[in-house]
Amino acid sequence: FLHSDNDDKNVIMILKGLLGELMVKVAPQIYRKYLLANEKGEKILYVRMTKALYGMLKSALLFYKKLVSDLRSVGFEINPYDPCMANKKSYGKQMTVVWHVDDLKVSHVDPKRVTRFCDWIQSKYGSCSVNRGKVHEYLGIDLDFRTPGVVRMSMIPYIQKILDQFPEDLGASAPTPAADH
């Protein structure tokens, strides 16, 4: 969600892939002109919300409970301080899974363990993609591990993509973020 802190009526939801395409099928006269594609060809639909979408919270909670149950079934322990982090020993080394809703990031020193984990996730949930290397994008954040002992994070490319793909003209820049009084 994109949300303005001072205006509860200005909430924009980003629907990706099948969900965006389904909205177009439901009401093509409203949504077709706003369905865009990103650089990977994935369909994206920006929708201005007029009220909260509480069903999304329920579905996220159901997914969380299923994921935790599945992770525990293969030996992961949920971190008591961060309920969206799980760890287990895999071939004598720690494997860590962190997640936000249905976006997972898994790490292990042996890339084969990550591949096997992805295969397992795919068998349970139907899809999984692996990004290997020193630079990753996760939840709109670019994570750069190229310098040993340092992680650099940036959201500038993500924000720029949103601005570039936004279907409406956002207007001119303002000299100050303060409202006119």
Side-chain angles (χ1 to χ4, degrees), residues 11-30:
V11 177
I12 302 204
M13 184 172 171
I14 303 169
L15 305 175
K16 292 184 177 181
L18 183 59
L19 191 53
E21 292 177 43
L22 287 173
M23 291 297 291
V24 172
K25 286 182 182 178
V26 169
Q29 69 283 5
I30 296 172

Side-chain angles (χ1 to χ4, degrees), residues 90 94-96 105-121 128-132 136:
S90 177
Q94 180 169 300
M95 176 178 278
T96 300
K105 180 182 170 299
V106 60
S107 58
H108 191 277
V109 296
D110 183 352
K112 292 176 189 172
R113 301 300 114 215
V114 174
T115 299
R116 290 192 66 176
F117 178 83
C118 186
D119 292 343
W120 176 78
I121 284 289
C128 180
S129 63
V130 176
N131 179 24
R132 299 189 192 275
H136 304 273

Side-chain angles (χ1 to χ4, degrees), residues 36-112:
L36 308 169
N38 66 14
E39 68 279 353
K40 296 179 184 175
E42 298 170 311
K43 301 293 183 180
I44 298 175
L45 178 66
Y46 295 92
V47 180
R48 181 170 282 124
M49 307 298 289
T50 58
K51 61 182 179 176
L53 202 62
Y54 294 107
M56 298 292 281
L57 294 175
K58 185 175 182 180
S59 64
L61 180 60
L62 291 173
F63 178 83
Y64 173 85
K65 288 180 177 182
K66 178 173 177 20
L67 179 63
V68 166
S69 174
D70 289 341
L71 289 171
R72 283 184 172 144
S73 77
V74 292
F76 279 92
E77 293 181 22
I78 305 304
N79 185 308
Y81 303 103
D82 184 346
C84 293
M85 176 184 280
N87 296 294
K88 85 173 202 172
K89 289 287 185 182
S90 177
Y91 290 81
K93 302 291 182 180
Q94 180 169 300
M95 176 178 278
T96 300
V97 180
V98 294
W99 67 92
H100 176 74
V101 189
D102 63 348
D103 289 319
L104 282 71
K105 180 182 170 299
V106 60
S107 58
H108 191 277
V109 296
D110 183 352
K112 292 176 189 172

Side-chain angles (χ1 to χ4, degrees), residues 130-177:
V130 176
N131 179 24
R132 299 189 192 275
K134 301 284 185 183
V135 180
H136 304 273
E137 187 272 328
Y138 181 66
L139 301 175
I141 303 168
D142 287 352
L143 303 169
D144 183 340
F145 296 95
R146 289 180 286 198
T147 304
V150 175
V151 62
R152 288 188 171 85
M153 295 185 275
S154 173
M155 290 189 72
I156 292 171
Y158 177 73
I159 293 167
Q160 188 60 54
K161 259 195 273 188
I162 290 171
L163 294 173
D164 292 344
Q165 294 174 351
F166 198 74
E168 297 177 19
D169 181 16
L170 295 177
S173 61
T176 175

